[in-house]
Amino acid sequence: MKVLILDDNKGFADSMARILNSRGHEALSLQSAEDALKVMRAGFRPDVRLVDMGVTDMRGDAFIRSMTDSWKLEQDPTRPASPPPPVVAITGMSSMEDVATLPNGMEVLHKPVDPEVLIARLEAAFGLMHPEKTSQE
């Protein structure tokens, strides 16, 4: 499973990437939405995205919309459209204002979050989009 981790808390993002990588996943941690968009435009295609709603250079909901718009533009018009990779949103905010504009049904985890719980949510999101891959493991 390829995971893009976007969180301006470098310690958190890097530790999550290390844990995921140690379990055989390919995780990339970035601290800015701008860098994450550049990496994806350059060809990194995550299976699931972990997005902090409070990233300093762009609100998490705006970043999610931007990624979804880019995903739609990259679709091959001669093939059936595929949905964008799922997002697991996290926040350290106590207010729900930062998650009010997220798509219905998007799960938001509140920091601090147990790494095991977070990994289970990422793997579950991946499994929903790729049941054929999870059933082979």
Side-chain angles (χ1 to χ4, degrees), residues 47-104:
D47 296 309
V48 64
R49 303 162 292 175
L50 175 62
V51 177
D52 176 18
M53 298 307 298
V55 175
T56 55
D57 65 331
M58 183 185 293
R59 283 182 48 105
D61 58 332
F63 175 71
I64 292 166
R65 278 194 306 280
S66 181
M67 285 190 307
T68 301
D69 291 345
S70 294
W71 183 266
K72 289 175 184 175
L73 290 173
E74 293 172 5
Q75 296 294 305
D76 180 347
T78 64
R79 304 184 64 142
S82 63
V87 173
V88 174
I90 56 174
T91 184
M93 306 287 187
S94 58
S95 165
M96 291 304 288
E97 180 181 322
D98 59 334
V99 298
T101 58
L102 289 175
N104 288 339

